[in-house]
């Protein structure tokens, strides 16, 4: 029996793997949106899962921008029929709960959009490390964006764990050359610090009324 291969080389295989992941993210988002509308999932659970899916989607869509210029066309090609997911991932870019809060809290310094921005920057930074993007000129901009978004949130104290750790890492990276790479140990420590800071950040939100 002849084995049929979908790909001819490692690059093609990676592309199909990314297609499969994109397909899975869109399907998962559609299921999540329906579960939220039907009250099967709590708003808090919905928001946490939706933030993760949106951040993963944005990272992947950026990677695939040359091969998948249109997410709508991708969904049509594979007959996905996921209008709620396309609206959430492509049109809105933030969870429904965040949209509602942003409308209700218009004019409040701690905007829901900034919270969403922080979550996205956390997950993009962690995803990039998992994809072995460990060069200083790849890591530094991501951590700078994250640090900047954390500083916009007035609900976070000046000594918030995430702010201190990101400032420390940015300082370390600034002393290295642009082409230098983090060692495996450094990358693991940075990922651990990001994950720890992200968990502290999410835990701080309910107390702040966000």
């Amino acid at each position: 029996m002849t084995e049929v291969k979908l790909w001819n080389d490692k690059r093609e295989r990676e592309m199909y793997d990314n297609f499969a992941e994109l397909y899975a993210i869109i399907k998962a988002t559609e299921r999540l949106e329906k579960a939220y509308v039907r009250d099967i999932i709590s708003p808090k659970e919905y928001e946490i899962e939706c933030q993760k899916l949106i951040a993963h989607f944005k990272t992947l869509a950026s990677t695939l921008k040359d091969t998948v210029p249109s997410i709508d066309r991708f969904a049509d090609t594979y007959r996905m029929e996921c209008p709620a997911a396309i609206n959430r991932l492509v049109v809105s870019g933030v969870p429904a709960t965040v949209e509602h809060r942003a409308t209700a809290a218009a004019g409040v310094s701690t905007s829901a959009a900034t919270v969403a921005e922080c979550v996205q920057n956390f997950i993009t930074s962690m995803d990039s490390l998992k994809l072995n993007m460990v060069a200083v000129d790849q890591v530094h901009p991501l951590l700078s964006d994250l640090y900047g978004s954390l500083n916009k949130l007035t609900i976070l104290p000046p000594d918030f764990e995430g702010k201190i750790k990101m400032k420390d890492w940015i300082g370390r990276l600034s002393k290295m050359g642009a082409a230098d790479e983090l060692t495996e140990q450094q990358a693991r420590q940075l990922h651990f610090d990001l994950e720890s800071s992200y968990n502290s950040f999410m835990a701080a939100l309910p107390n702040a009324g966000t």
Side-chain angles (χ1 to χ4, degrees):
M1 185 176 172
T2 309
E3 185 182 348
V4 179
K5 284 188 177 180
L6 286 172
W7 54 81
N8 297 314
D9 55 36
K10 189 181 175 184
R11 192 174 174 182
E12 268 192 29
R13 177 176 182 169
E14 208 169 271
M15 184 184 75
Y16 280 111
D17 283 348
N18 285 334
F19 280 6
E21 195 173 337
L22 180 59
Y23 185 95
I25 289 171
I26 294 171
K27 281 291 188 185
T29 305
E30 184 73 16
R31 284 196 299 273
L32 185 66
E33 290 292 309
K34 286 178 177 175
Y36 174 61
V37 168
R38 293 169 186 166
D39 281 333
I40 296 168
I41 187 171
S42 74
K44 186 177 179 182
E45 287 174 309
Y46 161 80
E47 188 170 317
I48 290 168
E49 290 308 310
C50 196
Q51 295 274 28
K52 286 180 185 175
L53 286 166
I54 289 168
H56 288 317
F57 167 77
K58 288 185 176 177
T59 303
L60 194 58
S62 174
T63 305
L64 289 170
K65 64 180 183 293
D66 294 329
T67 44
V68 184
S70 167
I71 300 298
D72 286 303
R73 202 174 302 154
F74 177 87
D76 287 342
T77 301
Y78 294 100
R79 299 177 182 177
M80 297 190 69
E81 296 179 4
C82 295
I86 298 299
N87 177 63
R88 185 62 49 219
L89 297 169
V90 181
V91 181
S92 170
V94 295
T97 46
V98 172
E99 281 182 332
H100 302 157
R101 282 206 305 272
T103 304
V108 176
S109 59
T110 303
S111 82
T114 308
V115 172
E117 184 187 326
C118 289
V119 172
Q120 183 194 324
N121 287 334
F122 265 121
I123 295 178
T124 301
S125 298
M126 289 189 279
D127 277 356
S128 298
L129 290 175
K130 286 178 189 171
L131 292 169
N132 205 33
M133 291 170 64
V134 291
V136 169
D137 60 357
Q138 292 173 317
V139 180
H140 192 281
L142 297 175
L143 297 189
S144 295
D145 286 347
L146 173 56
Y147 184 62
S149 59
L150 289 173
N151 279 325
K152 288 182 198 172
L153 278 181
T154 54
I155 57 164
L156 297 175
D159 61 348
F160 174 67
E161 174 190 351
K163 287 186 185 180
I164 293 169
K165 286 184 176 176
M166 291 315 106
K167 188 178 180 181
D168 181 48
W169 274 105
I170 290 167
R172 275 193 252 177
L173 293 171
S174 297
K175 293 171 187 172
M176 297 166 69
D180 289 347
E181 293 190 348
L182 297 178
T183 63
E184 188 181 343
Q185 189 177 356
Q186 286 174 320
R188 283 182 69 177
Q189 184 61 49
L190 175 54
H191 190 276
F192 177 82
D193 287 347
L194 283 164
E195 204 162 37
S196 168
S197 300
Y198 173 71
N199 290 335
S200 298
F201 173 79
M202 294 306 285
L205 295 184
N207 301 330
T210 57

